[in-house]
């Protein structure tokens, strides 16, 4: 359309420097409290001809569809933010599932931060004697003394202790116990759930101090952040910490209480005494963090012995387990695990080398996992560092990966800001140690494949050396035996972990869904976002095990298959065109959006490490976050009227409508907000209402808005508005614009189809 956005502003929550628009606080309350309306079942089945219907978006962000259950079951079911299934009506047989041509799987965010969590302390944790399922709201009580398991149908006795309800302090009401009233609960576990005494919180920081690291300048910010958050590290009086720095050699630090100052050691004979009690050695730790940045500021050492440093870290941590946090700024060049560049600088769009170059990092990660050590990687590198190989250290030890391409403390303030925000969250977020997660499901269903960062211990059991509240998992399922015996299917995820206070705990989530035998019911209950996320995970695996074009074809075929199956088996419509059930009307759009993501796109220049990082994110981000990254929410902000507004008590709250992601929807007289989950953009048109500019940006008019303005918005506004972590870019305005426009996924780009062209492509594929 030739429309040039004059100003793009990244909003940042860092400094409250302007007065928020008076109405924005209302708006933020509205957006924060907005809940989309789940679609009615009748609507979900309405055939939608995609070639004719253009306005497909709901007014508000799409919510998870509600399973078709009785109100009682609905009320107690697990939150979709924790546990979601791609099909909220489970097909009775694999044959029916095959017919639907939709994937069956779970999206799980098991350790997310919760406001409310019933914690149960009791001598007996009631479980099915046959399949070990934890008692849950979906079991049936045959009488006061017997309950029937909802997963394997065995009849179990109710133990005496269970007859007493600690919440109501009454006897004889087993069905009122919190375990059977809440589908998410946490048990304090007894010693039966321990292989050894629970470990304390142990944190080791492994820091790159090579010349390259000094140039990038991250160390000072890391030390500052850790100093600031030292007392907020999750743990208790037993918490231990240690530090290790490396360039071509490895340096250890003796921080034993009683020393007058930290001692640097370059030894080969290391032992556990280098991990010190944080409380006892706090002053020495502070000393070290204060002096570290200066210690290496003159370093000329360009080599990086990351592999040996990780091996040393493994040795230090083996006796206890715990968390290793690695900061790396370049390709490792020395010793075990050294790597060579595989990126051809002349061929940025290459889609080769998506897998690791060596199994060194995977093997070490498996050793770590065996000793309950999780390894998290912060990669801050402007050059290719082979993330495909390095990420294995976190992937198989249940760690997290953070990546800051072209990190530089002066030249790239946006990355620095993001790094600081991420670090603060990282250091202070909840953590669980020596964890395992088991997924059980109703007899007949079985687990096919897991996605995420973990080590698979057995078919239904994941080893998680560490568990954090920001990581999610996906699980592909299949139907082995007919589910005809029951009208309900249940899934239970049980996460057994050691809290940072050294307590064994079990967090249990149970999800209940109806079983159906009609294809139309399967479609009516399809959860298009969950399906998209599961397919995204599958596509990542496929692009590594096969190749990228194969993975992309599979995604397009998923759309072709759905349209074909729906047309021939359900819709009974003779009309031509692309017809899908309303529940799946956004499917082709979401798939197109997936194909345009860094992880899966072709054509456009995508650096190898950036692609690999995007792939890592697909595998570990929770659904809500991933969907906003793939298909952001776009709103017009400047002309919200009271028409159609919510009336909350006496306050009128205007409600902006979601807009399609196309430049056609932007106009010069408007202001538009794009919510991408971890970043959001405010796009301001040239002829935008001056009152809005004045009130929101604190500038008298459009002309006075600096072209590179970074709006550091009011903390409260941002917190309420998007509840996201944000960052802004000051200098690379052009790249900000490019990024903004890349998110307009319905538009054609140099190398990718527009939405309309994509539909035509699907139609063409169908006729083949
Ligand atoms: C909201 O903004 C409008 C102008 O857009 C103004 O007329 C109105 O008084 C504001 N309402 C409140 C409650 O501040
Ligand atoms: C547990 O369930 C009961 C009954 O449904 C409910 O009143 C209570 O708020 C729930 N507890 C929590 C912590 O969610
Ligand atoms: C990708 O993999 C598919 C299936 O294995 C194969 O047929 C195809 O030739 C491969 N394409 C490329 C570009 O390697
Ligand atoms: C259902 O759709 C599939 C896929 O298009 C097709 O192979 C099958 O024959 C159809 N079945 C019926 C009963 O129409
Ligand atoms: C805002 O402007 C757009 C484009 O002119 C228009 O379609 C929309 O109805 C307006 N919204 C309100 C609430 O006036
Ligand atoms: C509406 O008023 C009730 C009672 O005064 C209060 O509890 C509730 O929080 C208010 N709702 C909103 C959205 O302000
Ligand atoms: Zn059972």
């Amino acid at each position: 359309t030739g429309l040039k956005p004059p100003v793009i502003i990244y909003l940042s929550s860092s400094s409250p420097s302007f007065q928020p628009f008076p109405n924005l606080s209302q708006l933020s309350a509205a957006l924060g409290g907005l809940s989309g309306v789940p679609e009615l079942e009748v609507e979900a089945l309405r055939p939608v001809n995609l070639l004719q219907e253009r306005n497909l978006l709901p007014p508000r962000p799409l919510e998870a569809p509600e399973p078709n259950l009785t109100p009682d079951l609905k009320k107690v079911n697990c939150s979709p933010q924790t546990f979601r299934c791609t099909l909220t009506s489970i097909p009775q047989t694999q044959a029916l599932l095959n017919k639907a041509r939709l994937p069956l799987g779970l999206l799980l965010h098991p350790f997310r931060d919760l406001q409310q969590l019933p914690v149960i302390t009791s001598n007996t944790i009631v479980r099915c004697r046959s399949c070990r399922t934890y008692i849950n709201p979906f079991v049936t009580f045959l009488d006061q003394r017997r309950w029937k398991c909802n997963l394997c149908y065995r009849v179990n006795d109710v133990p005496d202790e269970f007859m007493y309800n600690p919440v109501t302090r009454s006897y004889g009401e087993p069905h009122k116990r919190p375990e059977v009233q809440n589908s998410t609960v946490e048990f304090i576990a007894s010693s039966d759930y321990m292989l050894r005494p629970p470990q304390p919180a142990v944190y080791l920081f492994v820091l790159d101090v090579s010349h390259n690291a000094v140039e990038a300048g991250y160390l000072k910010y890391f030390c500052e952040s850790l100093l600031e958050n030292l007392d907020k590290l999750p743990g208790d009086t037993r918490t231990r910490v240690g530090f290790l720095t490396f360039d071509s050699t490895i340096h250890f630090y003796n921080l034993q209480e009683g020393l007058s100052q930290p001692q640097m050691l370059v030894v080969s004979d290391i032992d556990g005494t280098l991990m010190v009690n944080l409380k006892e050695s706090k002053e020495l730790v502070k000393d070290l963090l204060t002096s570290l940045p200066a210690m290496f500021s003159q370093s000329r050492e360009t080599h990086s012995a990351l592999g040996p440093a990780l091996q040393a870290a493994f040795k230090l941590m083996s006796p206890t387990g715990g968390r290793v946090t690695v900061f790396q700024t370049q390709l490792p060049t020395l010793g075990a695990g050294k790597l060579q560049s595989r990126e051809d600088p002349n061929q940025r769009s290459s889609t080769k080398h998506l897998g690791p170059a060596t199994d060194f990092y995977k093997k070490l990660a498996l050793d770590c996992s065996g000793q309950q050590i999780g390894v998290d990687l912060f990669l801050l590198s402007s050059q290719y560092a082979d993330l495909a190989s390095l990420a294995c250290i976190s992937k198989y030890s249940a760690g997290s990966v953070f990546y800051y391409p072209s990190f530089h403390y002066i030249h790239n303030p946006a990355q620095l800001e993001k790094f600081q925000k991420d670090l603060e969250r990282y250091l202070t977020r909840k953590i669980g140690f020596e964890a395992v997660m088991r997924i059980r499901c109703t007899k007949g269903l079985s687990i096919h494949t897991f996605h995420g960062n973990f080590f698979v211990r057995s078919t239904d059991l994941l080893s998680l050396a560490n568990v954090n509240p920001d990581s999610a998992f996906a699980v592909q399922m299949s139907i082995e035996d007919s589910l005809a015996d029951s009208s309900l299917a249940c899934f239970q995820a049980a996460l057994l972990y050691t809290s940072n206070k050294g307590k064994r705990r079990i967090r249990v989530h149970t999800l209940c869904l109806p079983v159906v035998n009609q294809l139309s019911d399967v479609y009516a209950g399809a959860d298009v976002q969950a399906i998209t996320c599961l397919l995204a995970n599958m596509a990542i695996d496929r692009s590594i095990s096969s190749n990228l074009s194969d993975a992309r074809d599979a995604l397009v075929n998923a759309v072709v298959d759905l349209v074909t199956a729906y047309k021939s088996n359900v819709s009974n419509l003779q009309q031509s065109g692309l017809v899908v059930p309303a529940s799946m009307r956004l499917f082709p759009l979401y798939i197109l959006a997936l194909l345009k993501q860094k992880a899966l796109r072709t054509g456009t220049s995508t650096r190898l490490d950036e692609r690999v990082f995007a792939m890592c994110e697909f595998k570990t981000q929770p659904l809500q976050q991933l969907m906003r990254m793939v298909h952001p929410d776009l709103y017009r902000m400047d002309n919200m009227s009271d028409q159609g507004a919510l009336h909350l008590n006496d306050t009128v709250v205007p409600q902006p409508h979601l807009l399609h992601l196309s430049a056609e929807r932007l106009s010069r007289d408007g202001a538009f907000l794009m919510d991408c989950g971890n970043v959001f953009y405010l796009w301001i048109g040239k002829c935008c209402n001056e009152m809005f500019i004045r009130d929101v940006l604190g500038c008298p008019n459009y002309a006075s808005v600096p072209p590179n303005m970074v709006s550091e918005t009011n903390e409260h506004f941002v917190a309420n508005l998007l509840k996201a972590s944000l960052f802004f870019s000051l200098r690379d305005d052009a790249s900000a614009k490019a990024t903004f426009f890349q998110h307009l996924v319905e538009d054609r780009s140099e190398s990718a189809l527009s939405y309309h062209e994509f539909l035509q492509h699907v139609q063409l594929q169908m006729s083949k």
Side-chain angles (χ1 to χ4, degrees):
T1 57
L3 218 152
K4 290 267 177 297
V7 185
I8 291 179
I9 292 167
Y10 292 76
L11 301 176
S12 156
S13 61
S14 59
S15 84
S17 64
F18 80 92
Q19 287 298 311
F21 191 54
N23 283 339
L24 278 185
S25 44
Q26 299 166 13
L27 168 70
S28 64
L31 279 179
L34 270 189
S35 56
V37 188
E39 302 185 56
L40 299 174
E41 207 179 317
V42 184
E43 162 66 13
L45 264 183
R46 180 176 66 86
V48 173
N49 187 337
L50 296 171
L51 296 173
Q52 280 162 16
E53 265 187 59
R54 300 301 298 275
N55 287 312
L56 298 173
L57 289 181
R60 233 76 58 223
L62 205 59
E63 290 272 293
E66 272 202 0
N68 185 12
L69 293 167
T70 62
D72 282 355
L73 291 179
K74 258 187 206 168
K75 212 174 76 196
V76 296
N77 217 353
C78 199
S79 159
Q81 289 191 56
T82 302
F83 218 147
R84 236 159 121 162
C85 186
T86 54
L87 303 176
T88 61
S89 292
I90 304 290
Q92 204 173 68
T93 60
Q94 182 71 33
L96 183 59
L97 175 60
N98 292 345
K99 232 183 197 186
R101 307 307 303 251
L102 292 172
L104 177 61
L106 304 169
L107 283 299
L108 197 56
H109 190 182
F111 202 54
R112 76 185 176 96
D113 289 325
L114 293 172
Q115 310 250 300
Q116 272 200 323
L117 175 67
V119 177
I120 299 166
T121 317
S122 121
N123 292 328
T124 31
I125 295 175
V126 181
R127 302 174 64 177
C128 172
R129 287 184 55 192
S130 172
C131 72
R132 309 300 291 148
T133 291
Y134 295 82
I135 198 165
N136 61 73
F138 312 105
V139 305
T140 34
F141 281 92
L142 301 180
D143 52 43
Q144 288 232 337
R145 283 298 179 179
R146 290 176 309 149
W147 63 279
K148 189 168 160 193
C149 176
N150 52 328
L151 270 62
C152 73
Y153 311 120
R154 181 191 166 112
V155 176
N156 293 276
D157 293 336
V158 175
D160 285 340
E161 196 195 337
F162 204 74
M163 298 299 285
Y164 174 71
N165 183 347
V167 178
T168 58
R169 300 188 179 192
S170 54
Y171 286 90
E173 294 179 328
H175 56 283
K176 290 201 177 153
R177 290 265 307 194
E179 299 93 316
V180 270
Q181 290 281 319
N182 306 76
S183 54
T184 288
V185 293
E186 191 157 283
F187 296 99
I188 308 286
S190 63
S191 54
D192 300 349
Y193 292 86
M194 299 168 197
L195 294 174
R196 58 176 189 178
Q199 69 159 84
V202 183
Y203 304 113
L204 174 65
F205 298 94
V206 176
L207 306 161
D208 181 350
V209 294
S210 64
H211 177 66
N212 208 47
V214 172
E215 282 288 291
Y218 85 92
L219 191 56
K220 169 166 172 281
Y221 296 92
F222 162 75
C223 290
E224 274 175 16
S225 185
L226 184 53
L227 268 173
E228 217 164 89
N229 294 297
L230 210 48
D231 294 328
K232 294 192 214 144
L233 285 182
D236 56 14
T237 54
R238 301 187 305 156
T239 302
R240 289 205 237 165
V241 295
F243 297 86
L244 187 162
T245 57
F246 69 99
D247 40 36
S248 62
T249 51
I250 302 166
H251 328 114
F252 302 90
Y253 297 87
N254 185 352
L255 301 167
Q256 288 293 332
E257 190 195 8
L259 290 176
S260 61
Q261 62 183 63
Q263 283 175 348
M264 194 211 267
L265 314 164
V266 185
V267 287
S268 53
D269 211 17
I270 50 176
D271 61 31
T273 60
L274 296 175
M275 301 301 300
V276 294
N277 181 292
L278 177 58
K279 193 158 166 263
E280 288 162 7
S281 297
K282 192 170 274 172
E283 288 315 309
L284 287 166
V285 169
K286 286 183 174 170
D287 258 14
L288 178 67
L289 289 173
T290 313
S291 50
L292 258 186
M295 280 164 65
F296 296 96
S297 61
Q298 302 306 317
S299 171
R300 297 263 144 252
E301 185 50 69
T302 56
H303 278 295
S304 168
L306 174 67
L310 289 173
Q311 287 171 325
F314 170 68
K315 232 172 163 180
L316 281 181
M317 297 288 281
S318 284
T320 52
R323 181 179 76 189
V324 176
T325 313
V326 182
F327 295 81
Q328 171 74 0
T329 67
Q330 59 179 316
L331 201 66
T333 53
L334 273 186
K338 74 175 176 191
L339 298 167
Q340 266 153 11
S341 179
R342 295 187 288 163
E343 187 182 57
D344 178 353
N346 300 319
Q347 253 217 312
R348 283 274 157 78
S349 59
S350 163
T351 58
K352 288 199 216 87
H353 309 305
L354 300 175
T358 158
D359 62 2
F360 172 81
Y361 294 95
K362 177 176 177 175
K363 278 190 167 153
L364 189 54
L366 295 180
D367 290 343
C368 285
S369 179
Q371 298 301 320
Q372 306 295 351
I373 304 163
V375 185
D376 297 330
L377 174 66
F378 283 78
L379 180 63
L380 310 104
S381 174
S382 48
Q383 302 293 322
Y384 174 74
D386 196 352
L387 189 57
S389 299
L390 299 184
C392 291
I393 193 71
S394 303
K395 193 169 167 184
Y396 298 98
S397 69
S400 312
V401 176
F402 300 83
Y403 178 46
Y404 308 87
S406 52
F407 180 91
H408 191 278
Y409 73 115
I410 293 172
H411 303 323
N412 201 336
Q415 291 283 4
L416 177 60
E417 164 114 7
K418 181 162 172 16
F419 176 61
Q420 288 176 298
K421 285 220 160 76
D422 288 350
L423 254 187
E424 186 182 354
R425 164 77 184 158
Y426 175 79
L427 293 171
T428 57
R429 73 186 181 187
K430 237 176 108 87
I431 182 168
F433 299 99
E434 39 193 6
V436 289
M437 182 166 70
R438 194 183 294 273
I439 308 223
R440 295 183 171 85
C441 37
T442 294
K443 207 166 87 185
L445 289 163
S446 81
I447 292 169
H448 187 278
T449 309
F450 288 106
H451 301 271
N453 288 356
F454 48 72
F455 167 61
V456 186
R457 184 91 72 78
S458 67
T459 49
D460 61 350
L461 185 68
L462 303 181
S463 255
L464 306 168
N466 292 176
V467 54
N468 74 71
D470 300 328
S471 291
F473 304 86
V475 189
Q476 276 165 261
M477 312 279 310
S478 57
I479 306 169
E480 305 269 288
D481 293 313
S482 163
L483 302 169
D485 288 350
S486 170
S487 60
L488 298 174
C490 292
F491 305 87
Q492 186 173 76
L495 178 72
L496 171 62
Y497 70 98
T498 300
S499 76
N500 60 61
K501 306 270 190 291
K503 290 272 181 306
R504 279 308 254 175
R505 287 172 163 242
I506 311 161
R507 189 172 293 190
V508 179
H509 306 286
T510 314
L511 175 70
C512 175
L513 297 172
V515 174
V516 298
N517 58 16
Q518 294 300 312
L519 193 53
S520 56
D521 292 333
V522 175
Y523 285 131
D527 181 338
V528 65
Q529 296 195 327
I531 290 170
T532 304
C533 289
L534 183 64
L535 288 173
N537 275 281
M538 291 160 66
I540 297 308
D541 279 6
R542 192 140 176 181
S543 61
I544 297 172
S545 68
S546 177
N547 59 51
L548 188 67
S549 70
D550 195 25
R552 289 171 52 89
D553 287 350
L555 287 173
V556 176
N557 286 338
V559 178
V560 172
D561 287 351
L562 169 69
V563 177
T564 313
Y566 182 68
K567 191 170 179 176
S568 52
N569 293 333
V570 182
S571 76
N572 286 327
L573 297 172
Q574 292 312 310
Q575 61 178 323
S576 61
L578 290 180
V579 184
V580 294
S583 60
M584 291 298 289
R585 71 192 184 285
L586 294 172
F587 188 49
L589 178 57
Y590 286 160
I591 294 296
L592 175 66
L594 276 183
L595 294 171
K596 292 186 174 186
Q597 301 302 304
K598 274 186 188 153
L600 293 167
R601 72 189 182 189
T602 54
T604 332
S605 142
T606 306
R607 303 192 62 171
L608 195 45
D609 280 344
E610 288 196 47
R611 184 186 296 280
V612 170
F613 179 63
M615 293 166 70
C616 293
E617 288 205 301
F618 270 30
K619 293 281 243 171
T620 54
Q621 290 292 331
L623 181 143
Q624 285 85 356
Q625 182 76 8
L626 185 57
M627 279 313 300
R628 286 221 168 88
M629 287 159 56
V630 170
H631 188 274
D633 294 335
L634 180 69
Y635 304 95
R636 177 157 185 168
M637 300 293 283
D638 59 300
N639 72 345
M640 288 173 302
S641 72
D642 290 351
Q643 212 183 6
L646 279 182
H647 292 259
L648 299 173
N649 297 343
D650 290 338
T651 321
V652 180
V653 182
Q655 294 216 68
H657 277 222
L658 271 187
L659 299 176
H660 278 266
L661 293 171
S662 164
E664 265 175 43
R665 304 297 172 129
L666 305 175
S667 64
R668 285 197 183 82
D669 62 349
F672 300 83
L673 183 81
M674 185 190 277
D675 173 4
C676 304
N678 51 1
V679 175
F680 68 109
Y681 305 88
L682 187 60
W683 186 99
I684 308 222
K686 223 170 219 158
C687 312
C688 180
N689 178 338
E690 291 206 340
M691 191 157 70
F692 179 85
I693 293 179
R694 197 169 57 234
D695 291 342
V696 175
L697 305 176
C699 300
N701 51 41
Y702 177 81
S704 61
V705 178
N708 290 330
M709 171 167 176
V710 170
S711 169
E712 301 183 6
T713 64
N714 178 285
E715 191 91 38
H716 177 70
F717 162 57
V718 170
N720 269 337
L721 189 58
L722 291 155
K723 301 191 179 116
S725 66
L726 310 156
F727 72 97
F728 61 89
S729 163
L730 187 61
R731 274 153 216 272
D732 62 349
D733 194 43
S735 107
K737 282 178 191 171
T739 312
F740 181 86
F741 275 82
Q742 271 168 23
H743 286 302
L744 299 177
V745 292
E746 293 195 21
D747 295 342
R748 154 185 256 268
S749 65
E750 44 168 316
S751 59
L753 303 179
S754 71
Y755 178 59
H756 189 68
E757 290 166 334
F758 182 67
L759 293 181
Q760 288 172 333
H761 175 68
V762 168
Q763 214 176 10
L764 197 68
Q765 295 293 310
M766 281 174 63
S767 59
K768 273 188 185 163

